[in-house]
Amino acid sequence: MAVAEQVQAPTRVLIVGGSGANYATSAAAIEAELGIPVFNLGLDGPVGLNVILPSILEQVRPGDIVLLIPEDLILLDDDGLLDRSVPFGIAIGQPGLGDVPPKQLAENLLLVGTPTLRGLTKSTIDLIEKGEMTGYYSDPFTDRGDPTVTKVRHGKWWKWQIKEPISDHAIERITKFREQVEAKGATLVLSLPWVYGSTEQESIANMRKIAAELEKIAPVIAYDPETFNLKSDSSLFADTHHHLLPDSRKIRARELVEGLEPFVKKDRTQAK
C-alpha cells in the first residue's frame, strides 16, 4: 500500500484478494505486458472479505482498475469475518475494521499476545534452527507486492471440493465494494482463482453458481467456462490448492492480461 501510494499514473491495476491472489499471479509480468503500474495487494483468506475490501479502499484512485480474485474460502463465508479478521485490523492500527462486533473485538483484544502451544513450539524451533522467529508471511515481497519465496508441498495432494455456492453476504459485500470503487472513479473487475480441485458435478455446479452471481455484480475475466478454473494437474501448484509455482503464475498472468486489456484500452481512450 505504501509503495502503491507513491506511484502516480492515470491508470493502475490493484490486485485484491486472499493469498490465492497474492501467491497465484505476477504483478511484474502483468505490468510488463500492459505497460501500466500493477500492484499485488492480495492478503490472506482468513482475514475475511469484510476486512480485506475496506483495507485497500483508501488506496483506490480515479482511473484505477481493481481486480478482485476471491477464493472460495471468503466467498462461502456467511458474515465476512474469519479467524484473522480482528488480529489483522489490530496489526494495521484499525481495530474493528470490517464492522467487527464489539464483543468479538473485545475477546480478541484480550487474547493479543497470548501464544498457542503450536505457536510456542514453532517459535522455539525457529530460534534454534534459524536464530529468529518467522511466520508464514515473513518472507520479503517485491516492490510490486509479488512473493519472492516459493513454498512447496511435502504432503500428499487431494482434490479441493467446492461444497457450497457463494453466500448471500459475499454477494452483498462485493456489490457494495463495486459501488465504493466506482464512487472513486475506478473500475471493478472480478476473476475466479485457479484451484487444484475436484471437477465432479457438485464442485462444478457450485462454481457455475459462483460465476453467475459474480457476473451480475461486475465483469468476470480469465476463467474457463467449462472447468471454472478447477485444475486437475497438481504440478501447477506450490504448497496449497490455491498457490501457484512461478511458471504457473506467469501463465495465469497472461490470462489476466488478456482479460484486462479491454479495460486498459477503455481507460486510455477516456483519458484522451
Side-chain angles (χ1 to χ4, degrees):
M1 289 282 285
V3 174
E5 189 173 0
Q6 297 171 12
V7 175
Q8 303 297 322
T11 301
R12 304 174 303 166
V13 174
L14 307 180
I15 302 171
V16 184
S19 63
N22 188 251
Y23 283 84
T25 189
S26 167
I30 297 174
E31 180 170 316
E33 292 276 353
L34 292 179
I36 60 175
V38 179
F39 296 94
N40 191 340
L41 303 181
L43 293 173
D44 182 29
V47 170
L49 200 60
N50 279 25
V51 178
I52 290 173
L53 299 185
S55 73
I56 67 95
L57 193 59
E58 65 185 53
Q59 182 51 238
V60 178
R61 300 178 193 155
D64 282 347
I65 299 169
V66 180
L67 174 60
L68 173 60
I69 310 176
E71 57 246 57
D72 51 278
L73 172 68
I74 55 181
L75 287 178
L76 308 186
D77 184 58
D78 287 329
D79 65 0
L81 299 171
L82 293 165
D83 60 336
R84 293 176 193 161
S85 297
V86 175
F88 182 81
I90 295 171
I92 64 172
Q94 298 183 54
L97 182 67
D99 297 324
V100 175
K103 181 180 179 181
Q104 184 178 347
L105 176 60
E107 290 173 348
N108 277 259
L109 281 169
L110 288 172
L111 293 173
V112 170
T114 305
T116 62
L117 178 59
R118 181 180 178 183
L120 284 171
T121 302
K122 182 188 180 304
S123 296
T124 302
I125 293 172
D126 277 352
L127 283 171
I128 294 171
E129 295 183 348
K130 304 176 183 178
E132 62 180 351
M133 291 184 287
T134 64
Y136 190 83
Y137 298 107
S138 293
D139 299 312
F141 292 85
T142 69
D143 63 354
R144 288 300 189 257
D146 289 331
T148 58
V149 175
T150 299
K151 297 174 173 62
V152 296
R153 187 176 190 84
H154 299 291
K156 185 178 179 181
W157 283 102
W158 75 97
K159 290 188 175 181
W160 195 263
Q161 293 182 313
I162 313 298
K163 297 183 178 181
E164 300 174 46
I166 186 172
S167 71
D168 291 340
H169 176 81
I171 293 171
E172 293 171 3
R173 190 62 191 82
I174 296 173
T175 300
K176 179 181 178 182
F177 183 62
R178 184 205 70 208
E179 294 168 353
Q180 293 171 322
V181 167
E182 291 178 348
K184 286 177 167 281
T187 301
L188 177 65
V189 180
L190 308 173
S191 185
L192 302 179
W194 279 19
V195 181
Y196 176 58
S198 169
T199 54
E200 295 177 355
Q201 184 175 357
E202 181 184 33
S203 290
I204 291 292
N206 283 323
M207 286 303 298
R208 182 178 292 109
K209 292 176 183 176
I210 288 172
E213 291 297 335
L214 291 178
E215 285 174 340
K216 294 176 185 177
I217 301 172
V220 183
I221 66 169
Y223 78 92
D224 185 319
E226 294 184 2
T227 66
F228 299 94
N229 289 359
L230 294 174
K231 303 295 182 179
S232 57
D233 183 1
S234 63
S235 68
L236 297 169
F237 293 82
D239 58 330
T240 80
H241 295 73
H242 297 79
H243 298 175
L244 300 179
L245 293 170
D247 286 345
S248 303
R249 292 176 197 166
K250 292 177 182 177
I251 298 171
R252 173 61 170 155
R254 181 63 237 171
E255 283 188 351
L256 292 169
V257 166
E258 292 176 359
L260 288 167
E261 280 177 336
F263 297 94
V264 174
K265 290 178 180 177
K266 180 180 178 182
D267 274 8
R268 285 172 174 165
T269 300
Q270 290 176 341
K272 290 179 181 179

